[in-house]
Amino acid sequence: MGDVHAAKKMILLCSAIAFVSACSGQAGSGSDSSTAADQWRDFPYTREPRPIIIVDDLPKLVGDAKPGTRFTLREKLSDDPPKSQDVLLDGDKVSLTRISAADAFDRLSERLRGLPGETVTVVEARLGQLEWMTDRGSLSLPSWSFRTDNGGSASWPAVTPDAFWRLGQTRRSAAIDSVSLDASRTSLSFKVTVAPNSCDGSTGDDHFKAGQLQPAVVILTGEPSTAQPDCDRPAFAMLKSGTIRIDRPLEGRVVVDQQGNPVPVETP
């Protein structure tokens, strides 16, 4: 059992190293938050209810249903949508319009179209509740799950697309795991994965800043230090804590990293 845990830790460490290596060339863009914020310029952060931003991969695959799997139907799915359902969003009860099994399957299939992989048959469609990670934390949503003949399943939110923002097109930040808000909702605390970029193992400027361009708050994690060209840099990633303050409560704005990827926010 200890070997398994050790292996998992090694995989996580390697993933972090791979991320920071891939992104280190973009660190210079940290001085300007406009590029990241520009990706969110059309986000209606004042709308009520606020659009749901799912940062999980879609569809959600379980068991032997793997990325690239193509799905066929054993029998026709129902076109009748179930009744609307109340869901708790940001502390308020909101009625969401649900979609039929056939509609959800069409959206799921469109998402996977063109990807290479084996073909499996859907043997059952089941409506239930699933947890999805959003930019405001975990959210339970009505979802259609399609069970396959190989023992796997693929799931899709059973809610009309107008409840979401760019469903299936957003990915959570790989550098910043999550953000915690204080009671005033003006102080954001977080942990960020950074790579040493100098011979002594330092990570450059640790002065974290907020690029406050509505409707996004961009967490700027500093400029790289100047590395000596003829030395070996430590080959490991480091986790650092940071805190930034914004001039007014976060409210409906989205928090993103320097590349414009959303960071889940934990509210008090």
Side-chain angles (χ1 to χ4, degrees), residues 41-106:
R41 66 182 182 276
D42 297 325
F43 180 66
Y45 69 100
T46 59
R47 195 183 88 182
E48 294 184 2
R50 179 182 184 269
I52 301 167
I53 304 174
I54 289 184
V55 296
D56 281 332
D57 288 332
L58 282 167
K60 181 174 288 189
L61 304 176
V62 175
D64 288 335
K66 296 178 173 58
T69 299
R70 289 172 290 179
F71 299 88
T72 60
L73 295 173
R74 186 173 67 179
E75 56 186 38
K76 189 177 184 299
L77 297 173
S78 172
D79 291 320
D80 296 327
K83 294 180 180 180
S84 298
Q85 179 176 327
D86 288 341
V87 173
L88 202 62
L89 296 179
D90 295 325
D92 296 322
K93 188 178 292 186
V94 177
S95 180
L96 297 181
T97 303
R98 295 190 289 184
I99 62 176
S100 67
D103 191 355
F105 182 78
D106 288 345

Side-chain angles (χ1 to χ4, degrees):
M1 194 71 178
D3 292 340
V4 173
H5 290 310
K8 288 182 177 179
K9 288 181 179 179
M10 182 59 71
I11 292 172
L12 290 173
L13 178 59
C14 291
S15 299
I17 293 172
F19 165 76
V20 294
S21 298
C23 295
S24 59
Q26 303 176 17
S29 64
S31 60
D32 182 6
S33 59
S34 61
T35 302
D38 190 55
Q39 301 174 41
W40 296 90
R41 66 182 182 276
D42 297 325
F43 180 66
Y45 69 100
T46 59
R47 195 183 88 182
E48 294 184 2
R50 179 182 184 269
I52 301 167
I53 304 174
I54 289 184
V55 296
D56 281 332
D57 288 332
L58 282 167
K60 181 174 288 189
L61 304 176
V62 175
D64 288 335
K66 296 178 173 58
T69 299
R70 289 172 290 179
F71 299 88
T72 60
L73 295 173
R74 186 173 67 179
E75 56 186 38
K76 189 177 184 299
L77 297 173
S78 172
D79 291 320
D80 296 327
K83 294 180 180 180
S84 298
Q85 179 176 327
D86 288 341
V87 173
L88 202 62
L89 296 179
D90 295 325
D92 296 322
K93 188 178 292 186
V94 177
S95 180
L96 297 181
T97 303
R98 295 190 289 184
I99 62 176
S100 67
D103 191 355
F105 182 78
D106 288 345
R107 296 178 187 280
L108 180 153
S109 300
E110 179 65 27
R111 178 71 180 163
L112 298 176
R113 185 163 296 160
L115 296 177
E118 65 171 324
T119 299
V120 298
T121 301
V122 171
V123 297
E124 180 186 22
R126 181 178 299 174
L127 180 63
Q129 292 290 124
L130 279 182
E131 295 290 323
W132 298 87
M133 180 54 66
T134 76
D135 79 314
R136 288 299 191 260
S138 182
L139 177 64
S140 178
L141 288 173
S143 305
W144 284 105
S145 294
F146 302 96
R147 189 170 61 85
T148 63
D149 57 356
N150 67 350
S153 68
S155 300
W156 193 267
V159 180
T160 52
D162 60 338
F164 302 96
W165 177 256
R166 296 178 180 171
L167 185 62
Q169 299 178 42
T170 55
R171 294 290 179 274
R172 69 183 294 173
S173 171
I176 307 172
D177 183 56
S178 63
V179 165
S180 297
L181 281 179
D182 70 348
S184 71
R185 298 176 183 255
T186 60
S187 178
L188 288 68
S189 299
F190 54 90
K191 292 185 183 295
V192 58
T193 303
V194 292
N197 54 10
S198 65
C199 294
D200 62 4
S202 65
T203 55
D205 183 8
D206 292 338
H207 181 60
F208 303 119
K209 296 172 289 185
Q212 295 173 230
L213 299 178
Q214 296 177 355
V217 172
V218 184
I219 296 179
L220 302 176
T221 52
E223 297 291 343
S225 62
T226 302
Q228 297 92 329
D230 58 350
C231 68
D232 294 327
R233 306 178 192 180
F236 56 86
M238 303 176 69
L239 197 63
K240 291 203 169 187
S241 298
T243 299
I244 58 174
R245 296 196 68 86
I246 51 180
D247 61 355
R248 57 187 175 83
L250 181 65
E251 297 178 335
R253 290 181 291 173
V254 59
V255 178
V256 301
D257 64 15
Q258 292 177 173
Q259 283 71 48
N261 301 310
V263 182
V265 174
E266 300 172 1
T267 55

